[in-house]
Amino acid sequence: MKNKMSAIVAVFSIMSVICLGCGPSLNSDGSVNSVFAYVDHDRTLAEMIKAGKYDFVYYDKDIVEKNFPIHQPSNNVWPPIGIEFVLVHLDKTASTNEVFQYMDEHDLWPAWIEELLAFGEEFPDVQRDFPIIAFGSSCVASDGYPRAPYLANSNGFYRYLSLTSFLTYSSLDDSPVWHESCRFLAVHK
């Protein structure tokens, strides 16, 4: 129970920073008010990256639509839509399986790359405080390793988009281990 409450309080604290005066609050049922950003699915991946104004894009030859296709409805017409985002923070070193289990228990899906980029565009300074990972999209990068997109910073100054590896494994469940500073971008199911 302590870990769940720590995670809820951590998300609440982050939402307070992100909203900058919109007054998020912890609801009586323990749920957290989230933040919204618009995702324009009519943009190309390259346009989304450019709109984010990142100082650097690492793995730029891998962060392409061939590896990360933008999700489109069957009629290929999808106006910009508001998405409710939650930053999941378990406040401990956690395996990927633990992160997915937490998301599932709280009716959350891992965010796709286009959602990560919309979040980064709308809230550009959040990634200066901690890495933000989007498990909903992944690819096998040119180095042969499975990777997921994330936003982070270099020395608290430069903002960048990159791909993170799934290769730091836990001896307990053979799942990657994520530093306690990591946040995982999610959306409601």
PDB file of all heavy atoms in Angstrom, residues 2 17 34 37 95 109 123 139 151:
ATOM      1  N   LYS A   2       1.986   1.196   0.737  1.00  0.00           N
ATOM      2  CA  LYS A   2       2.875   2.357   0.814  1.00  0.00           C
ATOM      3  C   LYS A   2       3.407   2.725  -0.563  1.00  0.00           C
ATOM      4  O   LYS A   2       3.438   3.901  -0.920  1.00  0.00           O
ATOM      5  CB  LYS A   2       4.027   2.068   1.767  1.00  0.00           C
ATOM      6  CG  LYS A   2       4.947   3.256   1.933  1.00  0.00           C
ATOM      7  CD  LYS A   2       6.095   2.940   2.840  1.00  0.00           C
ATOM      8  CE  LYS A   2       7.033   4.141   2.873  1.00  0.00           C
ATOM      9  NZ  LYS A   2       8.334   3.810   3.372  1.00  0.00           N
ATOM     10  N   VAL A  17       3.346  20.560 -10.798  1.00  0.00           N
ATOM     11  CA  VAL A  17       4.381  21.297 -11.525  1.00  0.00           C
ATOM     12  C   VAL A  17       3.941  21.551 -12.957  1.00  0.00           C
ATOM     13  O   VAL A  17       4.071  22.641 -13.482  1.00  0.00           O
ATOM     14  CB  VAL A  17       5.707  20.506 -11.513  1.00  0.00           C
ATOM     15  CG1 VAL A  17       6.722  21.150 -12.436  1.00  0.00           C
ATOM     16  CG2 VAL A  17       6.247  20.426 -10.096  1.00  0.00           C
ATOM     17  N   SER A  34      -5.245  14.792 -14.162  1.00  0.00           N
ATOM     18  CA  SER A  34      -4.167  14.709 -15.141  1.00  0.00           C
ATOM     19  C   SER A  34      -4.082  15.996 -15.942  1.00  0.00           C
ATOM     20  O   SER A  34      -4.850  16.911 -15.735  1.00  0.00           O
ATOM     21  CB  SER A  34      -4.426  13.518 -16.063  1.00  0.00           C
ATOM     22  OG  SER A  34      -4.535  12.332 -15.313  1.00  0.00           O
ATOM     23  N   ALA A  37      -2.997  17.514 -23.440  1.00  0.00           N
ATOM     24  CA  ALA A  37      -2.269  18.106 -24.557  1.00  0.00           C
ATOM     25  C   ALA A  37      -2.941  17.600 -25.824  1.00  0.00           C
ATOM     26  O   ALA A  37      -3.602  16.558 -25.817  1.00  0.00           O
ATOM     27  CB  ALA A  37      -0.799  17.712 -24.538  1.00  0.00           C
ATOM     28  N   SER A  95      11.151  -2.832 -12.390  1.00  0.00           N
ATOM     29  CA  SER A  95      11.266  -3.572 -13.643  1.00  0.00           C
ATOM     30  C   SER A  95      10.181  -3.103 -14.601  1.00  0.00           C
ATOM     31  O   SER A  95       9.172  -2.514 -14.186  1.00  0.00           O
ATOM     32  CB  SER A  95      11.126  -5.072 -13.391  1.00  0.00           C
ATOM     33  OG  SER A  95       9.786  -5.392 -13.049  1.00  0.00           O
ATOM     34  N   TRP A 109      -2.717   2.922 -20.280  1.00  0.00           N
ATOM     35  CA  TRP A 109      -1.952   2.358 -21.390  1.00  0.00           C
ATOM     36  C   TRP A 109      -0.639   3.114 -21.496  1.00  0.00           C
ATOM     37  O   TRP A 109      -0.611   4.321 -21.286  1.00  0.00           O
ATOM     38  CB  TRP A 109      -2.675   2.580 -22.735  1.00  0.00           C
ATOM     39  CG  TRP A 109      -3.894   1.795 -22.981  1.00  0.00           C
ATOM     40  CD1 TRP A 109      -5.171   2.275 -22.961  1.00  0.00           C
ATOM     41  CD2 TRP A 109      -3.987   0.425 -23.345  1.00  0.00           C
ATOM     42  NE1 TRP A 109      -6.044   1.277 -23.276  1.00  0.00           N
ATOM     43  CE2 TRP A 109      -5.345   0.121 -23.520  1.00  0.00           C
ATOM     44  CE3 TRP A 109      -3.041  -0.592 -23.527  1.00  0.00           C
ATOM     45  CZ2 TRP A 109      -5.791  -1.149 -23.870  1.00  0.00           C
ATOM     46  CZ3 TRP A 109      -3.494  -1.856 -23.881  1.00  0.00           C
ATOM     47  CH2 TRP A 109      -4.844  -2.120 -24.042  1.00  0.00           C
ATOM     48  N   PHE A 123       4.680  20.637 -22.835  1.00  0.00           N
ATOM     49  CA  PHE A 123       5.315  20.817 -21.528  1.00  0.00           C
ATOM     50  C   PHE A 123       6.829  20.621 -21.668  1.00  0.00           C
ATOM     51  O   PHE A 123       7.394  19.647 -21.169  1.00  0.00           O
ATOM     52  CB  PHE A 123       4.743  19.820 -20.515  1.00  0.00           C
ATOM     53  CG  PHE A 123       3.245  19.871 -20.421  1.00  0.00           C
ATOM     54  CD1 PHE A 123       2.468  18.866 -20.972  1.00  0.00           C
ATOM     55  CD2 PHE A 123       2.602  20.933 -19.797  1.00  0.00           C
ATOM     56  CE1 PHE A 123       1.085  18.905 -20.894  1.00  0.00           C
ATOM     57  CE2 PHE A 123       1.225  20.991 -19.712  1.00  0.00           C
ATOM     58  CZ  PHE A 123       0.455  19.979 -20.270  1.00  0.00           C
ATOM     59  N   CYS A 139      11.018  -0.127 -31.190  1.00  0.00           N
ATOM     60  CA  CYS A 139      11.553  -0.658 -32.437  1.00  0.00           C
ATOM     61  C   CYS A 139      12.857  -1.374 -32.141  1.00  0.00           C
ATOM     62  O   CYS A 139      13.419  -1.231 -31.058  1.00  0.00           O
ATOM     63  CB  CYS A 139      11.781   0.452 -33.468  1.00  0.00           C
ATOM     64  SG  CYS A 139      13.252   1.466 -33.159  1.00  0.00           S
ATOM     65  N   LEU A 151      12.182  11.159 -23.592  1.00  0.00           N
ATOM     66  CA  LEU A 151      12.619  12.550 -23.523  1.00  0.00           C
ATOM     67  C   LEU A 151      13.468  12.712 -22.276  1.00  0.00           C
ATOM     68  O   LEU A 151      13.137  12.155 -21.226  1.00  0.00           O
ATOM     69  CB  LEU A 151      11.412  13.494 -23.430  1.00  0.00           C
ATOM     70  CG  LEU A 151      10.389  13.410 -24.559  1.00  0.00           C
ATOM     71  CD1 LEU A 151       9.207  14.332 -24.260  1.00  0.00           C
ATOM     72  CD2 LEU A 151      11.020  13.750 -25.899  1.00  0.00           C
TER      73      LEU A 151
END
